[in-house]
Amino acid sequence: MKVLHVNAGNEYGGGLFHILSIFQGISQLEMDLLVFEDGPVAEMARKNGINVFILPQKSRYDLTILSRLKSFINDREYTILHTHGPRANLLISLIRKRLAAKWVMTVHSDPTLDFKDRGIKGRIFEILNLHTIKKTDRVIAVSSEIKEILVNNRVPTDDITVVHNGRNFNLTPSEISKVSDRLNIVTVGRLEWVKGHKYLLQALGKTKHPDWHLTICGAGQEERSLKILADELHLSKKINFLGWVDSLEVSKQIAQADVMVLPSLSESFPLVALEAAENHIPVIATEVGDVKNMIPDKSMGWIVQKASSDELAAAIEEAYADWKTNTLKQKGKHFFNWSSQFTIQKQGLETMKVYQKCLKSEK
């Protein structure tokens, strides 16, 4: 079995680390990575010893790449293609009939929301992406919710396998000295509407206790509007907008926090929550994706309704009370003990089973 992973190359955040975790979780196969631009994915690959090829496009709409892409795949005799992201999905779909390899696709997020609020062009991209998903041999969904969405969009349920994200847990995380006179909150994610940051800011505006500080790791189109909202709520002095930072800085910010908040309107199985667990830090998260599998009860964190600043505020108040009584750390330890089952080895094994099933398929 010879596997080629394909991604546009401009991936940040969870998608990038999902690709990395598959390579770390499957060591027994010959696997390469192909990207269409020399960006963060290629940089990540080089740093981690992953064999990466760059097949550049003049633009994301450049279809002259198709002939070179077909030759690249067939000449190297790959048996499995594993695509990640709409651009990779579309390009492979256009040459699918001329390839000998079987095709596996991971759907990382809700495809009906990936191009939301982008007008007619966004709607066209959404339709194209959903169409390409139906052309694969096997689909990996990173949560049960995403599988349900795909089935509702007429992707055959038997073609879909749920494989949760995994992490290479450090069983003895290093102790980091934390500021003791305030509750340190961290949130990690693109500053886009789907991540729900405005509800977090609104929630903090409703909290009764002033002893908190929020660090936001991420950049995006919502940054300006969020900073304006922070000003309007008189919270700016207590919020640090870090912008986009590399994985090392994200890890540092998570380790220094007392609690993580993930206010997303749509999510799958967030890797940053597993990183919080590794550091014995509890999470307040919205009830989206398979987060409830990660945080099954209040001994480990909080699950709240999405788009509810009131529920977020109540959970933050409870976290503050636990922090004041020094019981918040115990929640973090429980969270770690439960979440450490979601390893990259488990993710790799389940992905391997999908490859094997795909090779046996007549589709």
Side-chain angles (χ1 to χ4, degrees), residues 15-281:
L16 183 152
F17 292 107
H18 177 95
I19 295 169
L20 174 60
S21 64
I22 291 178
F23 274 87
Q24 291 176 332
I26 304 177
S27 58
Q28 63 270 50
L29 292 184
E30 182 180 354
M31 297 201 300
D32 297 326
L33 174 63
L34 175 69
V35 296
F36 304 123
E37 55 186 84
D38 192 356
V41 177
E43 182 181 355
M44 172 276 296
R46 287 189 287 263
K47 285 181 179 179
N48 288 276
I50 295 170
N51 194 28
V52 58
F53 297 93
I54 300 169
L55 203 62
Q57 284 180 286
K58 297 174 184 176
S59 75
R60 65 181 58 201
Y61 307 109
D62 173 24
L63 298 183
T64 62
I65 194 177
L66 294 177
S67 178
R68 288 180 290 138
L69 180 59
K70 176 188 71 69
S71 297
F72 180 93
I73 294 168
N74 287 338
D75 290 349
R76 286 168 175 77
E77 299 182 335
Y78 291 104
T79 52
I80 294 285
L81 299 177
H82 190 159
T83 59
H84 308 263
R87 198 195 323 179
N89 299 342
L90 177 61
L91 291 176
I92 293 299
S93 76
L94 294 175
I95 58 173
R96 177 70 184 91
K97 294 181 179 180
R98 293 181 282 166
L99 301 175
K102 293 285 189 174
W103 180 14
V104 175
M105 175 194 299
T106 291
V107 179
H108 298 263
S109 57
D110 182 347
T112 66
L113 296 179
D114 285 343
F115 302 102
K116 188 176 173 62
D117 296 333
R118 298 192 190 181
I120 295 175
K121 184 183 292 186
R123 178 57 179 158
I124 293 171
F125 287 160
E126 177 187 321
I127 292 170
L128 283 173
N129 191 39
L130 284 168
H131 180 67
T132 64
I133 295 172
K134 298 170 188 176
K135 297 173 72 173
T136 60
D137 294 296
R138 294 284 165 181
V139 178
I140 292 174
V142 295
S143 74
S144 300
E145 182 182 67
I146 288 179
K147 178 176 180 177
E148 183 179 348
I149 291 167
L150 294 176
V151 171
N152 289 340
N153 281 277
R154 300 182 181 178
V155 179
T157 186
D158 291 343
D159 291 347
I160 308 169
T161 302
V162 175
V163 178
H164 288 136
N165 290 326
R167 182 166 178 81
N168 193 17
F169 282 91
N170 178 5
L171 299 181
T172 55
S174 59
E175 288 293 325
I176 293 181
S177 177
K178 298 178 182 179
V179 178
S180 60
D181 62 347
R182 65 188 184 187
L183 177 71
N184 283 305
I185 306 167
V186 67
T187 189
V188 181
R190 308 184 319 273
L191 301 189
E192 306 291 346
W193 72 271
V194 74
K195 294 299 183 181
H197 289 94
K198 74 172 184 179
Y199 299 103
L200 173 55
L201 299 192
Q202 291 168 354
L204 289 168
K206 297 175 181 180
T207 55
K208 300 174 184 177
H209 304 287
D211 305 328
W212 58 265
H213 182 269
L214 171 65
T215 298
I216 300 177
C217 300
Q221 297 182 21
E222 295 283 305
E223 183 171 350
R224 184 172 180 274
S225 63
L226 289 171
K227 287 181 176 178
I228 291 173
L229 177 59
D231 282 338
E232 291 173 348
L233 296 171
H234 307 290
L235 302 177
S236 295
K237 293 182 179 179
K238 301 167 74 172
I239 299 175
N240 184 14
F241 286 87
L242 279 188
W244 183 88
V245 290
D246 63 26
S247 59
L248 290 177
E249 182 62 26
V250 170
S251 296
K252 176 184 172 183
Q253 295 300 327
I254 291 174
Q256 290 177 335
D258 297 299
V259 65
M260 174 181 283
V261 181
L262 297 176
S264 300
L265 305 181
S266 177
E267 198 63 75
S268 52
F269 200 76
L271 279 165
V272 289
L274 293 182
E275 186 166 358
E278 181 179 1
N279 286 278
H280 296 184
I281 295 165

Side-chain angles (χ1 to χ4, degrees), residues 297-308:
D297 61 60
K298 288 190 70 173
S299 70
M300 308 170 201
W302 294 262
I303 298 283
V304 302
Q305 290 296 314
K306 65 182 180 181
S308 174

